Amino acid sequence: MKKDIHPKVKEAEFVCACGARMMNETTKNETEVKIDICSVCHPFFTGKQKLVDTAGRVDKFNKRYATAKK
């Protein structure tokens, strides 16, 4: 392996738009990194995720192409 080609990794505090703060490592030269979304406010992790109803789309497709066969 070549020496001194990898960026330096530093500890930084990540601050989310929702106000949550967490420590992690980064290669940026900042001690505080601002992020838009995190695991505290992401809909997938909070259980507020909206599911897309694909059954309506399938019925619409079948109805459209069933009339074309006739």
Side-chain angles (χ1 to χ4, degrees):
M1 281 180 52
K2 293 181 182 179
K3 290 185 177 184
D4 300 326
I5 63 168
H6 299 290
K8 304 290 184 209
V9 178
K10 301 173 186 156
E11 284 281 325
E13 184 175 29
F14 285 77
V15 181
C16 181
C18 70
R21 295 178 171 268
M22 58 200 85
M23 295 296 291
N24 206 343
E25 296 178 339
T26 185
T27 57
K28 290 186 173 191
N29 291 329
E30 301 174 11
T31 57
E32 186 174 289
V33 180
K34 296 183 189 237
I35 55 176
D36 295 331
I37 197 160
C38 68
S39 61
V40 175
C41 60
H42 193 279
F44 180 77
F45 297 111
T46 60
K48 297 178 183 176
Q49 183 178 14
K50 295 179 183 176
L51 299 174
V52 177
D53 180 24
T54 57
R57 293 180 184 180
V58 172
D59 291 339
K60 187 177 180 180
F61 175 84
N62 289 336
K63 189 186 303 182
R64 181 183 303 153
Y65 289 102
T67 56
K69 285 184 178 180
K70 293 180 182 176

